[in-house]
Amino acid sequence: MPEEPISTVPATSERREPTASEVDGARSHPVVLEARGLVKHYRQRQARQRGHRRAAAVVHAAEDVDLELRAGRVAALVGESGSGKSTVARLLAHLVRPTSGEIILDGRPAVRMGSREYRRMVQMVFQDPFSSLNPVHSVAYHLERPLKIHHRATKSEMPDAVARLLARVQLGPASQYVGKLPHELSGGQRQRVAIARALAAGPRVLLADEPISMLDVSIRLGILNLLAELRDEEGLAILYVTHDIASARYFADTMTVMYAGRMVETGPSRAVADESAHPYTQLLLRAAPDPDRAQPVHLGATGGPPSLVHPPAGCRFHPRCPAAMDRCRREVPPFFQVAPGHAAACWLHAAEGVAVSVSPTATGRPDPSPA
């Protein structure tokens, strides 16, 4: 059975409209953390060539990233390796400084906040729990330290506070875990301890950078369900960084797809996964394993990701895109609205209407803006 070709013509009449809860749900979920026009360039080390110093090359890791994290919602950032998604998470965590752009936390510019105040409210869970936990310190030490730093418990309150944190991540009884070292725990238990450590600061935002990719498949769902409970019960705003678009559809409320440092599609997670509008998103979905697929996949795209030192002009996906046009090679496409709350940065949708800003308004709909 031949593979279905990638859509090159917007099928507006067949596109599923987001439900009222998808479009209007943002009204009851205020913005906690917002990125506006974030740019991150890394300068490579200078090298000498025949006695002369060459100009340092610049890696364009992230360009013009706009993102909103809302209380009680999960926003997924999806893309292949090198797409810039982890760079965005590190920018939001203040682990690296942006080249330009602005980060807003609870309506306040992050640059006007103290480092400790910001990091108390914005915590990060890393991909590999074994390397993010100190191998010579116990579980109790890892959880007590943020409680002390952020004055969340006195010395006499510490044992009960640690026990409550372990209970929040479904590790109990606490007496079985507090004295253990990281190597004495399973991968899933280590990641739960890492999540508990992040919760110890009492954050408003949790940045989860590939939190399940280093874990066995059998325990990944348990970690996602735990994060979903924290979202629902504590109103956390969660950024879920992943290369797995299927898990993003299951877990996230909204989804943003990145390619070569740029955002290419954004919208409700089910709309992006089920009615993808950008050729790159369509290729990601077709490349995902499917046990019911009888025939090999013919993706229709060749080559690898572009150099971020010398990124291609126009749309950065055009060298691999099976639907690329001359305009794609010359001009960077703005975002075009393809459904309420759903937009794609692709010239294939230029005939559908006006370009839009991807930063949602209070109603959760993109703002019309001139192209």
Side-chain angles (χ1 to χ4, degrees), residues 15-367:
R15 189 171 300 280
R16 181 184 70 87
E17 291 293 317
T19 64
S21 61
E22 289 175 329
V23 176
D24 299 327
R27 291 175 177 166
S28 58
H29 300 275
V31 175
V32 180
L33 187 64
E34 182 180 3
R36 298 177 182 174
L38 277 190
V39 174
K40 182 58 183 178
H41 296 165
Y42 292 100
R43 288 192 175 274
Q44 295 181 328
R45 292 183 177 180
Q46 293 180 334
R48 289 187 177 274
Q49 187 176 24
R50 294 182 180 180
H52 299 285
R53 188 180 294 273
R54 294 185 303 177
V58 175
V59 179
H60 300 75
E63 302 276 4
D64 300 323
V65 175
D66 294 315
L67 198 64
E68 285 185 349
L69 303 183
R70 293 178 176 271
R73 308 278 281 186
V74 176
L77 203 56
V78 180
E80 62 190 271
S81 297
S83 62
K85 54 190 188 298
S86 291
T87 296
V88 173
R90 290 175 177 271
L91 287 168
L92 294 177
H94 267 202
L95 296 180
V96 294
R97 292 185 178 183
T99 303
S100 63
E102 190 175 22
I103 298 174
I104 307 295
L105 177 60
D106 271 341
R108 298 168 58 193
V111 294
R112 298 180 185 175
M113 302 176 66
S115 176
R116 180 169 295 185
E117 179 187 6
Y118 183 89
R119 288 175 178 167
R120 184 190 69 78
M121 298 180 67
V122 181
Q123 285 285 306
M124 191 166 184
V125 177
F126 294 93
Q127 179 177 359
D128 184 0
F130 194 75
S131 62
S132 66
L133 298 176
N134 193 320
V136 302
H137 287 301
S138 67
V139 169
Y141 175 89
H142 285 95
L143 300 185
E144 289 174 359
R145 184 169 173 80
L147 290 172
K148 292 177 182 177
I149 290 175
H150 298 289
H151 308 291
R152 301 273 297 170
T154 64
K155 186 175 181 179
S156 61
E157 297 170 339
M158 201 64 69
D160 289 339
V162 169
R164 287 195 296 271
L165 285 172
L166 290 172
R168 286 167 74 185
V169 296
Q170 301 167 7
L171 289 178
S175 58
Q176 293 186 5
Y177 296 97
V178 290
K180 288 188 175 181
L181 298 174
H183 74 271
E184 297 176 300
L185 303 173
S186 68
Q189 290 171 340
R190 284 195 293 266
Q191 194 63 292
R192 288 175 187 268
V193 171
I195 294 171
R197 180 179 59 180
L199 295 176
R204 300 280 312 282
V205 179
L206 198 62
L207 308 174
D209 186 8
E210 300 269 13
I212 62 172
S213 64
M214 300 288 288
L215 306 179
D216 293 338
V217 174
S218 59
I219 58 178
R220 292 180 178 181
L221 185 60
I223 297 296
L224 291 183
N225 287 339
L226 170 62
L227 292 173
E229 289 179 13
L230 294 173
R231 170 198 63 189
D232 297 336
E233 295 176 3
E234 305 192 17
L236 284 177
I238 299 177
L239 177 68
Y240 175 52
V241 177
T242 183
H243 62 273
D244 183 0
I245 197 168
S247 68
R249 183 193 184 280
Y250 165 79
F251 175 51
D253 300 291
T254 61
M255 188 188 307
T256 298
V257 181
M258 291 190 69
Y259 179 79
R262 286 191 177 275
M263 300 167 58
V264 297
E265 186 166 358
T266 185
S269 57
R270 291 188 179 183
V272 173
D274 296 345
E275 298 289 346
S276 54
H278 196 282
Y280 175 64
T281 311
Q282 295 170 8
L283 287 168
L284 276 182
L285 290 163
R286 293 185 60 187
D290 184 356
D292 298 326
R293 185 182 290 137
Q295 298 295 327
V297 180
H298 177 67
L299 296 178
T302 59
S307 167
L308 295 183
V309 176
H310 303 289
C315 175
R316 292 187 178 179
F317 187 59
H318 84 255
R320 303 172 70 187
C321 182
M325 305 175 289
D326 287 340
R327 190 176 190 181
C328 303
R329 300 176 177 90
R330 300 190 312 267
E331 303 176 48
V332 177
F335 273 84
F336 295 98
Q337 181 170 293
V338 295
H342 184 185
C346 181
W347 288 117
L348 294 173
H349 300 278
E352 292 187 24
V354 298
V356 296
S357 166
V358 297
S359 296
T361 63
T363 63
R365 299 175 182 269
D367 295 322

